[in-house]
Amino acid sequence: MASTAELKAAVADSLENSGKLEQLRAKVRAGIYDAIEGPQETALPLSRDNLIINELIREYLLFNGYRNTLSVLLPEARQPQTAPFDRGMLANMLGVAQDSNTDKVPLLYALVAEQNQGHHPH
């Protein structure tokens, strides 16, 4: 029969290998932030620019599988849990042309690629 220490180690390894431990850590960090910051009723509303920037970051995090980071970002940034803009609207706001290349990647990538095309190293 396994000892308590061996059982703890096996559970910890299993949680670590499955990614569940990092999810739990992210939820704890988000909970700690909420407990420290308290209710946000008196917080200023997010500006339109901040909403747009946060949505670009949300799309980037989701694309790259950074869901734990996103779970901390949303409450800390006071960003709505449901995206306030769909991708097409966001692309239109930013003047990003949607095509078969830009549709496959987050808008941040398209913005960076667009910026890099306009600047050539000396």
Side-chain angles (χ1 to χ4, degrees), residues 61-111:
L61 293 174
L62 287 170
F63 179 82
N64 287 289
Y66 301 146
R67 284 167 180 74
N68 298 328
T69 303
L70 183 60
S71 73
V72 174
L73 172 70
L74 294 178
E76 186 172 359
R78 298 182 328 273
Q79 191 76 1
Q81 289 295 318
T82 303
F85 313 113
D86 67 25
R87 182 187 165 89
M89 179 186 283
L90 200 53
N92 287 337
M93 290 173 164
L94 298 169
V96 175
Q98 295 202 56
D99 58 32
S100 60
N101 292 325
T102 59
D103 283 347
K104 296 176 185 173
V105 295
L107 291 170
L108 271 176
Y109 287 107
L111 289 169

Side-chain angles (χ1 to χ4, degrees), residues 1-118:
M1 185 169 194
S3 71
T4 303
E6 291 170 329
L7 185 57
K8 283 182 184 180
V11 169
D13 287 344
S14 175
L15 290 172
E16 186 74 47
N17 292 336
S18 69
K20 298 288 184 195
L21 190 56
E22 192 53 40
Q23 289 174 359
L24 291 169
R25 287 179 181 136
K27 287 181 182 185
V28 168
R29 285 190 295 270
I32 289 170
Y33 176 83
D34 287 345
I36 291 170
E37 291 298 313
Q40 295 291 322
E41 292 92 26
T42 58
L44 295 174
L46 286 173
S47 70
R48 180 178 176 270
D49 288 346
N50 278 359
L51 279 170
I52 291 169
I53 291 166
N54 290 344
E55 284 309 304
L56 290 170
I57 294 168
R58 179 198 308 250
E59 183 187 35
Y60 166 82
L61 293 174
L62 287 170
F63 179 82
N64 287 289
Y66 301 146
R67 284 167 180 74
N68 298 328
T69 303
L70 183 60
S71 73
V72 174
L73 172 70
L74 294 178
E76 186 172 359
R78 298 182 328 273
Q79 191 76 1
Q81 289 295 318
T82 303
F85 313 113
D86 67 25
R87 182 187 165 89
M89 179 186 283
L90 200 53
N92 287 337
M93 290 173 164
L94 298 169
V96 175
Q98 295 202 56
D99 58 32
S100 60
N101 292 325
T102 59
D103 283 347
K104 296 176 185 173
V105 295
L107 291 170
L108 271 176
Y109 287 107
L111 289 169
V112 169
E114 202 173 275
Q115 189 68 25
N116 285 337
Q117 288 175 358

